[in-house]
């Protein structure tokens, strides 16, 4: 199971309840029990659970349990059968100034509750142009994984999501993704002594480019945004990556 590829759909905040209803009618039940995780906006999660889908949160709180207005804790997630949480998405880093230290606390609280963490890292366009990609990734990884032992790292997957590729149709090249993935694995090995870190790619993955992206040998799947909110496109991606593997 661990070596199988995974497809994670991050539905962000793009759907209202009418969109969710039509989505649930068109998304194929075949994907239940496959390596597919859907991360809806929190308020819509019960509809997805009721239909049998494997569900993830788009964020999680820094403590496992307790009274924190407006937040969702790992204990609450687990009690609903929610196993996955995206942490450190660039939209949160950018719009909420979420710092590495908070992301680190979220990662620890989630893995301590036995959740599977999808930790997002990635450089901005400016950082890429200034040739700072490696420095930025190293900083994000070292800080976010601070204090995690090997056992905890088993429950983490790194999502390499270059910020310049998110929602832009400007997908990273296979060569760039392969190189960066190797770099991420190397940093985690060097820094935490964990050799086999799983890395997935996100950023303008769609039904048209998935065949080509799926040729990349060292990644373990994809984190899909815009195309995941379109059931037809999402099913094409899923068929390419997990159904036919
Ligand atoms: P897009 O697929 O829309 O570029 O979004 C990627 C993303 O942010 C997934 O978390």
């Amino acid at each position: 199971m661990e070596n199988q590829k995974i497809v994670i759909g991050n539905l962000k905040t793009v759907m209202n309840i009418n969109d969710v209803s039509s989505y649930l009618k068109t998304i194929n039940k075949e994907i239940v029990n496959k390596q597919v995780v859907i991360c809806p906006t929190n308020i819509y999660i019960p509809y997805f659970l009721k239909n049998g889908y494997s569900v993830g949160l788009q964020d999680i709180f820094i403590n496992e349990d307790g009274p924190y207005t407006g937040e969702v804790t790992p204990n609450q997630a687990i009690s609903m059968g929610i196993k996955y949480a995206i942490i450190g998405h660039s939209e949160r880093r950018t719009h909420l100034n979420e710092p590495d230290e908070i992301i680190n606390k979220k990662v620890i609280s989630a893995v301590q509750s036995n959740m599977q963490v999808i930790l997002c890292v990635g450089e901005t366009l400016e950082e890429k142009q200034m040739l700072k990609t490696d420095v930025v990734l190293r900083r994000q990884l070292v800080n976010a994984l601070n204090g995690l032992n090997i056992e905890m790292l088993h429950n983490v997957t790194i999502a390499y999501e270059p910020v310049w590729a998110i929602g832009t149709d400007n997908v990273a090249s296979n060569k760039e993704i392969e190189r960066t993935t190797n770099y991420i694995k190397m940093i985690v090995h060097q820094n935490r002594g964990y050799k086999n870190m799983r890395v997935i790619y996100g950023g303008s993955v769609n039904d048209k480019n998935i065949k080509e992206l799926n040729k990349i040998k060292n990644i373990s799947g994809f984190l899909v945004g815009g195309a995941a909110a379109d059931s037809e496109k999402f099913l094409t991606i899923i068929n390419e990556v997990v159904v036919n593997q």
Side-chain angles (χ1 to χ4, degrees), residues 3-4 15 19 62 82 86 91 106-107 121 150 154 159 163 173 192 199 201 210 214 219 223 244-245:
N3 293 327
Q4 282 184 320
M15 291 184 183
D19 301 323
I62 57 171
I82 299 170
I86 296 172
E91 283 150 16
K106 290 180 174 184
V107 172
V121 296
I150 306 271
H154 277 305
V163 180
S173 71
R192 303 247 57 97
V199 178
Y201 170 77
I210 190 60
N214 201 32
I219 56 172
L223 178 53
N244 299 325
Q245 77 178 330

Side-chain angles (χ1 to χ4, degrees), residues 10 12 89 91 161 165-167 203-205 223-226:
N10 177 7
K12 307 190 180 185
H89 193 280
E91 283 150 16
E161 292 211 303
I166 296 177
S204 292
V205 176
L223 178 53
V224 188

Side-chain angles (χ1 to χ4, degrees), residues 200-225:
I200 62 176
Y201 170 77
S204 292
V205 176
N206 63 36
D207 53 325
K208 302 278 187 308
N209 58 28
I210 190 60
K211 212 176 176 79
E212 187 58 26
L213 288 169
N214 201 32
K215 291 180 184 161
I216 302 170
K217 291 278 187 300
N218 58 354
I219 56 172
S220 304
F222 298 93
L223 178 53
V224 188

Side-chain angles (χ1 to χ4, degrees), residues 40-207:
T41 313
N42 285 346
I43 51 174
Y44 303 130
I45 284 177
Y47 298 105
F48 287 83
L49 287 173
K50 226 174 14 198
N51 281 275
Y53 296 108
S54 180
V55 165
L57 296 176
Q58 297 176 12
D59 181 44
I60 201 148
F61 193 57
I62 57 171
N63 292 337
E64 286 172 69
D65 206 8
Y68 304 104
T69 302
E71 296 291 335
V72 175
T73 64
N75 276 3
Q76 289 179 303
I78 289 287
S79 76
M80 294 276 286
I82 299 170
K83 284 210 308 251
Y84 293 84
I86 296 172
I87 296 178
H89 193 280
S90 69
E91 283 150 16
R92 300 190 60 84
R93 292 181 191 258
T94 307
H95 301 296
L96 296 166
N97 285 330
E98 203 168 279
D100 287 343
E101 294 67 32
I102 292 289
I103 291 166
N104 175 240
K105 286 186 179 163
K106 290 180 174 184
V107 172
I108 290 175
S109 116
V111 293
Q112 276 177 341
S113 298
N114 257 326
M115 291 186 77
Q116 293 289 325
V117 167
I118 314 299
L119 170 66
C120 299
V121 296
E123 80 285 5
T124 62
L125 182 60
E126 198 189 357
E127 288 162 344
K128 177 181 160 70
Q129 285 166 342
M130 290 167 75
L131 306 178
K132 285 190 173 164
T133 299
D134 289 2
V135 179
V136 170
L137 292 176
R138 174 188 284 271
R139 192 207 71 223
Q140 291 177 340
L141 289 164
V142 168
N143 290 342
L145 300 178
N146 187 27
L148 273 85
N149 61 30
I150 306 271
E151 205 184 319
M152 291 157 109
L153 289 164
H154 277 305
N155 288 355
V156 177
T157 297
I158 308 294
Y160 172 51
E161 292 211 303
V163 180
W164 49 268
I166 296 177
T168 56
D169 262 342
N170 213 354
V171 68
S173 71
N174 283 18
K175 222 170 137 190
E176 274 174 305
I177 299 169
E178 202 169 317
R179 187 203 73 80
T180 316
T181 298
N182 278 333
Y183 180 74
I184 291 170
K185 287 173 188 270
M186 198 253 309
I187 293 296
V188 177
H189 186 201
Q190 256 185 11
N191 186 253
R192 303 247 57 97
Y194 184 63
K195 252 191 181 166
N196 302 314
M197 179 49 74
R198 266 164 306 160
V199 178
I200 62 176
Y201 170 77
S204 292
V205 176
N206 63 36
D207 53 325

